[in-house]
Amino acid sequence: MIALVNVVVVVVMLLCAWAGHVSPARHPICELISLGFPIPLAINLLFLVFWLLVKARYALIPLIGILLCFNSVRDYCPVNIPGDTDGSDLKIMSFNINNFNGYKSPDSIFLSIARYIAESDADIVCMQETQIGKKSIRPALNSIFNRAYPYGIEHHKPGHVKLSFYSKFPIRWMKDVPFEKDHRITKDIHKNASMVCCLDIGDDSLLVFNCHLASQGFDIDEKNELQDFVDRKIDHIDERSFISKIISSGRVRALEADFISRTLKKHQGASVVLCGDFNSSPTSYAHHTLGKQLNDCYRQAGNGVGFTYSHFGMYVRIDHIFCSDDWEPIRCKIDKNFTVSDHLSAVCWLKKRPKP
């Protein structure tokens, strides 16, 4: 009977793993199913320990389950041996700074975020949600960024998420990558944003995409309600509202990911880095879609689950860095030492592969 329960858990784990390969734009429930992957995975690992202690031959059940969805396990919780970095590596940072932690933050918060980024020594910085509510603080922020980065550019249109980009390498050009409207959704996806910059790195050029995909759409009251539910301060939440928003936003992100994928195909063969707040877990359709064309740097050079967002009872890695095959990720981490924003920064070191 216990073995039968384990088989059921394995089947559920496989459904969650493979749901992320189906577009929520066609089958919206798949976004919700893929989010549940960590739960059967954790139960299956407990079964593995149980069988090894009680009846070792039955450990084949959870082992086979893990092997059948090994790619999803590795996406969600990779294990790697970090490589050594040197001065020739390219250091990339992707960081959602939550509009400098809110428009009403004291000047010290604005300045601490700017100093953290400037002192990171990253060669390329992709930032999301960089709207500055206090115009008076802008000269001080510009002074900090300009001392660290000779090249910088911002992308902002009214009603859109603001993106910022800083580089130690010359920016040849910048283009907006506007998301297309789609009749299948009612949510206005144009408030999200994506940009691409072409950099001159020695004799080579590098395309760097900076993106912000659709969020779950929870307002602050709903987030607090979710936190209270996780902390067991309340016994009930409006599940239908939460599920509806997760499904709706998943459809939007699927279409946005498809559009970015089509844009990448137009630059096939180019050297590419793709960064941003994707609001998508490593087992999601958006992540799988972009991972077909580019390599997930955290999967190849990171360790552990690496949550980049851990507020209001939500623990997820939704900020990602991808790169093309001509780059080798040698180390990737989520910086837990700077927690001013509601996101943690994702940092990766890339080494250029020798040309064939």
Short mmCIF file of all heavy atoms in Angstrom, two decimals, residues 38-83:
data_model
loop_
_atom_site.label_atom_id
_atom_site.label_comp_id
_atom_site.label_asym_id
_atom_site.label_seq_id
_atom_site.Cartn_x
_atom_site.Cartn_y
_atom_site.Cartn_z
N PRO A 38 7.58 21.32 -6.78
CA PRO A 38 8.40 21.06 -5.58
C PRO A 38 7.73 20.17 -4.53
O PRO A 38 8.42 19.48 -3.78
CB PRO A 38 8.65 22.47 -5.03
CG PRO A 38 8.45 23.38 -6.18
CD PRO A 38 7.39 22.75 -7.02
N ILE A 39 6.40 20.19 -4.47
CA ILE A 39 5.70 19.41 -3.43
C ILE A 39 5.85 17.91 -3.64
O ILE A 39 6.36 17.20 -2.75
CB ILE A 39 4.22 19.83 -3.35
CG1 ILE A 39 4.11 21.32 -2.97
CG2 ILE A 39 3.48 18.97 -2.32
CD1 ILE A 39 2.70 21.86 -3.02
N PRO A 40 5.46 17.35 -4.80
CA PRO A 40 5.69 15.90 -4.99
C PRO A 40 7.16 15.54 -5.03
O PRO A 40 7.53 14.42 -4.66
CB PRO A 40 4.98 15.60 -6.32
CG PRO A 40 4.88 16.92 -7.02
CD PRO A 40 4.73 17.94 -5.95
N LEU A 41 8.02 16.46 -5.48
CA LEU A 41 9.46 16.19 -5.47
C LEU A 41 9.95 15.98 -4.05
O LEU A 41 10.68 15.02 -3.77
CB LEU A 41 10.22 17.34 -6.13
CG LEU A 41 11.75 17.26 -6.05
CD1 LEU A 41 12.27 16.00 -6.76
CD2 LEU A 41 12.39 18.51 -6.66
N ALA A 42 9.54 16.87 -3.13
CA ALA A 42 9.97 16.73 -1.73
C ALA A 42 9.43 15.45 -1.11
O ALA A 42 10.15 14.74 -0.40
CB ALA A 42 9.50 17.95 -0.93
N ILE A 43 8.16 15.11 -1.41
CA ILE A 43 7.57 13.89 -0.87
C ILE A 43 8.29 12.67 -1.42
O ILE A 43 8.56 11.69 -0.71
CB ILE A 43 6.06 13.83 -1.19
CG1 ILE A 43 5.33 14.99 -0.51
CG2 ILE A 43 5.47 12.50 -0.74
CD1 ILE A 43 3.87 15.11 -0.90
N ASN A 44 8.63 12.73 -2.70
CA ASN A 44 9.33 11.61 -3.32
C ASN A 44 10.71 11.40 -2.71
O ASN A 44 11.16 10.26 -2.52
CB ASN A 44 9.45 11.87 -4.82
CG ASN A 44 9.62 10.59 -5.62
OD1 ASN A 44 8.94 9.62 -5.38
ND2 ASN A 44 10.54 10.60 -6.56
N LEU A 45 11.39 12.48 -2.37
CA LEU A 45 12.70 12.37 -1.72
C LEU A 45 12.56 11.75 -0.33
O LEU A 45 13.43 10.97 0.10
CB LEU A 45 13.37 13.75 -1.64
CG LEU A 45 13.83 14.34 -2.97
CD1 LEU A 45 14.32 15.77 -2.78
CD2 LEU A 45 14.93 13.48 -3.60
N LEU A 46 11.49 12.10 0.36
CA LEU A 46 11.24 11.48 1.67
C LEU A 46 10.98 9.99 1.52
O LEU A 46 11.44 9.17 2.34
CB LEU A 46 10.05 12.16 2.35
CG LEU A 46 10.28 13.61 2.82
CD1 LEU A 46 8.98 14.19 3.37
CD2 LEU A 46 11.38 13.68 3.88
N PHE A 47 10.25 9.62 0.48
CA PHE A 47 10.03 8.21 0.20
C PHE A 47 11.35 7.49 -0.07
O PHE A 47 11.56 6.35 0.36
CB PHE A 47 9.10 8.03 -1.00
CG PHE A 47 7.65 7.88 -0.64
CD1 PHE A 47 6.71 8.82 -1.05
CD2 PHE A 47 7.22 6.80 0.11
CE1 PHE A 47 5.37 8.69 -0.72
CE2 PHE A 47 5.88 6.66 0.45
CZ PHE A 47 4.95 7.60 0.04
N LEU A 48 12.25 8.17 -0.78
CA LEU A 48 13.54 7.56 -1.09
C LEU A 48 14.30 7.22 0.19
O LEU A 48 14.84 6.11 0.34
CB LEU A 48 14.36 8.53 -1.96
CG LEU A 48 15.77 8.08 -2.33
CD1 LEU A 48 15.74 6.77 -3.12
CD2 LEU A 48 16.49 9.17 -3.12
N VAL A 49 14.32 8.16 1.12
CA VAL A 49 14.99 7.92 2.40
C VAL A 49 14.28 6.79 3.16
O VAL A 49 14.92 5.90 3.74
CB VAL A 49 15.01 9.21 3.24
CG1 VAL A 49 15.59 8.94 4.63
CG2 VAL A 49 15.83 10.29 2.54
N PHE A 50 12.96 6.82 3.14
CA PHE A 50 12.17 5.81 3.85
C PHE A 50 12.49 4.40 3.34
O PHE A 50 12.75 3.47 4.12
CB PHE A 50 10.69 6.12 3.70
CG PHE A 50 9.78 5.02 4.19
CD1 PHE A 50 9.54 4.86 5.55
CD2 PHE A 50 9.17 4.14 3.30
CE1 PHE A 50 8.70 3.85 6.00
CE2 PHE A 50 8.33 3.13 3.74
CZ PHE A 50 8.10 2.99 5.11
N TRP A 51 12.47 4.26 2.00
CA TRP A 51 12.70 2.93 1.44
C TRP A 51 14.13 2.45 1.70
O TRP A 51 14.36 1.25 1.92
CB TRP A 51 12.42 2.94 -0.06
CG TRP A 51 10.97 3.05 -0.44
CD1 TRP A 51 10.42 3.96 -1.29
CD2 TRP A 51 9.89 2.24 0.02
NE1 TRP A 51 9.07 3.79 -1.40
CE2 TRP A 51 8.71 2.73 -0.60
CE3 TRP A 51 9.78 1.17 0.90
CZ2 TRP A 51 7.46 2.16 -0.36
CZ3 TRP A 51 8.53 0.61 1.13
CH2 TRP A 51 7.39 1.10 0.50
N LEU A 52 15.10 3.35 1.64
CA LEU A 52 16.48 2.95 1.90
C LEU A 52 16.65 2.43 3.33
O LEU A 52 17.50 1.55 3.58
CB LEU A 52 17.42 4.13 1.65
CG LEU A 52 17.59 4.55 0.18
CD1 LEU A 52 18.43 5.82 0.09
CD2 LEU A 52 18.24 3.43 -0.63
N LEU A 53 15.85 2.95 4.25
CA LEU A 53 15.94 2.52 5.64
C LEU A 53 15.10 1.28 5.92
O LEU A 53 15.45 0.47 6.80
CB LEU A 53 15.49 3.65 6.57
CG LEU A 53 16.37 4.91 6.59
CD1 LEU A 53 15.72 5.99 7.44
CD2 LEU A 53 17.76 4.58 7.10
N VAL A 54 14.00 1.12 5.16
CA VAL A 54 13.05 0.04 5.47
C VAL A 54 13.17 -1.13 4.49
O VAL A 54 13.28 -2.29 4.91
CB VAL A 54 11.60 0.59 5.47
CG1 VAL A 54 10.59 -0.52 5.68
CG2 VAL A 54 11.46 1.66 6.54
N LYS A 55 13.13 -0.84 3.21
CA LYS A 55 13.17 -1.90 2.20
C LYS A 55 13.83 -1.35 0.95
O LYS A 55 13.19 -0.73 0.09
CB LYS A 55 11.74 -2.36 1.90
CG LYS A 55 11.64 -3.83 1.54
CD LYS A 55 10.21 -4.31 1.63
CE LYS A 55 10.15 -5.82 1.50
NZ LYS A 55 8.77 -6.34 1.67
N ALA A 56 15.13 -1.56 0.84
CA ALA A 56 15.97 -0.86 -0.14
C ALA A 56 15.51 -1.07 -1.58
O ALA A 56 15.60 -0.15 -2.40
CB ALA A 56 17.42 -1.29 0.02
N ARG A 57 15.00 -2.26 -1.90
CA ARG A 57 14.64 -2.50 -3.30
C ARG A 57 13.50 -1.61 -3.77
O ARG A 57 13.39 -1.31 -4.96
CB ARG A 57 14.29 -3.97 -3.52
CG ARG A 57 13.07 -4.45 -2.76
CD ARG A 57 12.76 -5.90 -3.09
NE ARG A 57 11.58 -6.37 -2.38
CZ ARG A 57 11.04 -7.56 -2.59
NH1 ARG A 57 11.56 -8.38 -3.50
NH2 ARG A 57 9.96 -7.94 -1.91
N TYR A 58 12.65 -1.18 -2.86
CA TYR A 58 11.54 -0.28 -3.23
C TYR A 58 12.02 1.15 -3.50
O TYR A 58 11.25 1.98 -3.98
CB TYR A 58 10.47 -0.29 -2.15
CG TYR A 58 9.57 -1.49 -2.19
CD1 TYR A 58 9.91 -2.67 -1.53
CD2 TYR A 58 8.39 -1.47 -2.91
CE1 TYR A 58 9.09 -3.78 -1.57
CE2 TYR A 58 7.56 -2.58 -2.97
CZ TYR A 58 7.92 -3.73 -2.30
OH TYR A 58 7.10 -4.83 -2.36
N ALA A 59 13.28 1.42 -3.19
CA ALA A 59 13.84 2.75 -3.49
C ALA A 59 13.89 2.99 -4.99
O ALA A 59 14.04 4.14 -5.44
CB ALA A 59 15.24 2.88 -2.89
N LEU A 60 13.74 1.92 -5.78
CA LEU A 60 13.70 2.09 -7.23
C LEU A 60 12.51 2.94 -7.66
O LEU A 60 12.56 3.62 -8.70
CB LEU A 60 13.61 0.72 -7.91
CG LEU A 60 14.92 -0.10 -7.97
CD1 LEU A 60 14.64 -1.49 -8.51
CD2 LEU A 60 15.94 0.63 -8.83
N ILE A 61 11.42 2.91 -6.91
CA ILE A 61 10.22 3.68 -7.31
C ILE A 61 10.53 5.18 -7.34
O ILE A 61 10.34 5.83 -8.38
CB ILE A 61 9.04 3.37 -6.36
CG1 ILE A 61 8.67 1.90 -6.43
CG2 ILE A 61 7.84 4.25 -6.71
CD1 ILE A 61 7.62 1.48 -5.40
N PRO A 62 10.99 5.79 -6.22
CA PRO A 62 11.30 7.22 -6.30
C PRO A 62 12.49 7.52 -7.21
O PRO A 62 12.52 8.57 -7.85
CB PRO A 62 11.60 7.60 -4.84
CG PRO A 62 11.98 6.33 -4.17
CD PRO A 62 11.16 5.27 -4.84
N LEU A 63 13.47 6.60 -7.29
CA LEU A 63 14.62 6.84 -8.16
C LEU A 63 14.20 6.91 -9.62
O LEU A 63 14.65 7.79 -10.37
CB LEU A 63 15.66 5.73 -7.96
CG LEU A 63 16.58 5.87 -6.75
CD1 LEU A 63 17.47 4.64 -6.62
CD2 LEU A 63 17.41 7.14 -6.83
N ILE A 64 13.35 6.00 -10.04
CA ILE A 64 12.86 6.02 -11.42
C ILE A 64 12.08 7.30 -11.68
O ILE A 64 12.21 7.93 -12.74
CB ILE A 64 11.99 4.78 -11.70
CG1 ILE A 64 12.86 3.53 -11.72
CG2 ILE A 64 11.24 4.93 -13.03
CD1 ILE A 64 12.08 2.23 -11.83
N GLY A 65 11.28 7.72 -10.71
CA GLY A 65 10.53 8.96 -10.86
C GLY A 65 11.45 10.16 -11.04
O GLY A 65 11.21 11.02 -11.91
N ILE A 66 12.51 10.22 -10.26
CA ILE A 66 13.47 11.33 -10.36
C ILE A 66 14.17 11.31 -11.71
O ILE A 66 14.36 12.36 -12.34
CB ILE A 66 14.49 11.27 -9.21
CG1 ILE A 66 13.79 11.59 -7.88
CG2 ILE A 66 15.64 12.23 -9.45
CD1 ILE A 66 14.65 11.38 -6.67
N LEU A 67 14.54 10.11 -12.18
CA LEU A 67 15.21 10.01 -13.48
C LEU A 67 14.29 10.44 -14.62
O LEU A 67 14.74 11.07 -15.58
CB LEU A 67 15.70 8.58 -13.70
CG LEU A 67 16.88 8.13 -12.83
CD1 LEU A 67 17.18 6.65 -13.05
CD2 LEU A 67 18.12 8.98 -13.12
N LEU A 68 13.02 10.11 -14.51
CA LEU A 68 12.08 10.45 -15.58
C LEU A 68 11.84 11.95 -15.69
O LEU A 68 11.43 12.44 -16.75
CB LEU A 68 10.75 9.72 -15.35
CG LEU A 68 10.76 8.21 -15.60
CD1 LEU A 68 9.43 7.59 -15.21
CD2 LEU A 68 11.09 7.90 -17.06
N CYS A 69 12.03 12.69 -14.60
CA CYS A 69 11.88 14.15 -14.69
C CYS A 69 13.16 14.84 -14.22
O CYS A 69 13.13 15.88 -13.56
CB CYS A 69 10.67 14.61 -13.88
SG CYS A 69 10.72 14.20 -12.14
N PHE A 70 14.30 14.23 -14.58
CA PHE A 70 15.60 14.73 -14.11
C PHE A 70 15.85 16.17 -14.56
O PHE A 70 16.42 16.98 -13.82
CB PHE A 70 16.72 13.83 -14.60
CG PHE A 70 18.09 14.27 -14.13
CD1 PHE A 70 18.47 14.08 -12.82
CD2 PHE A 70 18.96 14.90 -15.01
CE1 PHE A 70 19.72 14.50 -12.37
CE2 PHE A 70 20.20 15.32 -14.58
CZ PHE A 70 20.59 15.12 -13.25
N ASN A 71 15.44 16.51 -15.78
CA ASN A 71 15.68 17.87 -16.28
C ASN A 71 14.97 18.91 -15.40
O ASN A 71 15.53 19.97 -15.10
CB ASN A 71 15.21 18.00 -17.72
CG ASN A 71 16.22 17.45 -18.70
OD1 ASN A 71 17.41 17.42 -18.43
ND2 ASN A 71 15.76 16.99 -19.84
N SER A 72 13.75 18.61 -14.99
CA SER A 72 13.02 19.54 -14.13
C SER A 72 13.65 19.62 -12.75
O SER A 72 13.71 20.70 -12.14
CB SER A 72 11.55 19.12 -14.01
OG SER A 72 10.89 19.23 -15.24
N VAL A 73 14.13 18.48 -12.24
CA VAL A 73 14.82 18.48 -10.94
C VAL A 73 16.06 19.35 -11.03
O VAL A 73 16.35 20.16 -10.13
CB VAL A 73 15.19 17.05 -10.52
CG1 VAL A 73 16.03 17.06 -9.24
CG2 VAL A 73 13.93 16.21 -10.31
N ARG A 74 16.81 19.22 -12.11
CA ARG A 74 18.04 20.01 -12.28
C ARG A 74 17.74 21.48 -12.51
O ARG A 74 18.48 22.35 -12.06
CB ARG A 74 18.85 19.45 -13.44
CG ARG A 74 20.20 20.11 -13.63
CD ARG A 74 21.17 19.21 -14.35
NE ARG A 74 22.35 19.94 -14.81
CZ ARG A 74 23.31 20.38 -14.02
NH1 ARG A 74 23.25 20.19 -12.74
NH2 ARG A 74 24.34 21.02 -14.54
N ASP A 75 16.65 21.77 -13.20
CA ASP A 75 16.23 23.17 -13.36
C ASP A 75 15.91 23.80 -12.01
O ASP A 75 16.28 24.93 -11.73
CB ASP A 75 15.00 23.27 -14.27
CG ASP A 75 15.35 23.14 -15.74
OD1 ASP A 75 16.50 23.45 -16.11
OD2 ASP A 75 14.47 22.72 -16.52
N TYR A 76 15.19 23.04 -11.19
CA TYR A 76 14.70 23.58 -9.93
C TYR A 76 15.79 23.66 -8.87
O TYR A 76 15.89 24.65 -8.15
CB TYR A 76 13.54 22.73 -9.40
CG TYR A 76 12.91 23.29 -8.16
CD1 TYR A 76 12.03 24.38 -8.23
CD2 TYR A 76 13.20 22.77 -6.90
CE1 TYR A 76 11.46 24.92 -7.10
CE2 TYR A 76 12.64 23.29 -5.76
CZ TYR A 76 11.77 24.38 -5.86
OH TYR A 76 11.21 24.92 -4.72
N CYS A 77 16.62 22.63 -8.78
CA CYS A 77 17.64 22.60 -7.72
C CYS A 77 18.93 21.98 -8.27
O CYS A 77 19.23 20.81 -8.00
CB CYS A 77 17.13 21.81 -6.52
SG CYS A 77 18.23 21.85 -5.09
N PRO A 78 19.71 22.75 -9.03
CA PRO A 78 20.94 22.19 -9.60
C PRO A 78 22.04 22.01 -8.56
O PRO A 78 22.02 22.65 -7.51
CB PRO A 78 21.34 23.25 -10.64
CG PRO A 78 20.79 24.53 -10.08
CD PRO A 78 19.50 24.15 -9.40
N VAL A 79 22.96 21.14 -8.88
CA VAL A 79 24.16 20.95 -8.06
C VAL A 79 25.37 21.01 -9.00
O VAL A 79 25.44 20.23 -9.96
CB VAL A 79 24.13 19.60 -7.31
CG1 VAL A 79 25.42 19.40 -6.53
CG2 VAL A 79 22.93 19.54 -6.38
N ASN A 80 26.27 21.94 -8.75
CA ASN A 80 27.42 22.13 -9.62
C ASN A 80 28.67 22.42 -8.78
O ASN A 80 28.58 22.84 -7.63
CB ASN A 80 27.20 23.31 -10.58
CG ASN A 80 26.06 23.07 -11.56
OD1 ASN A 80 26.19 22.30 -12.51
ND2 ASN A 80 24.93 23.72 -11.32
N ILE A 81 29.81 22.19 -9.39
CA ILE A 81 31.08 22.59 -8.79
C ILE A 81 31.47 23.93 -9.40
O ILE A 81 31.75 24.01 -10.61
CB ILE A 81 32.18 21.55 -9.06
CG1 ILE A 81 31.78 20.20 -8.47
CG2 ILE A 81 33.51 22.02 -8.49
CD1 ILE A 81 32.75 19.08 -8.79
N PRO A 82 31.45 25.02 -8.62
CA PRO A 82 31.75 26.34 -9.18
C PRO A 82 33.17 26.40 -9.74
O PRO A 82 34.11 25.83 -9.17
CB PRO A 82 31.60 27.29 -7.98
CG PRO A 82 30.78 26.53 -6.99
CD PRO A 82 31.14 25.08 -7.19
N GLY A 83 33.32 27.07 -10.88
CA GLY A 83 34.63 27.24 -11.48
C GLY A 83 35.34 28.45 -10.90
O GLY A 83 34.76 29.26 -10.18
#
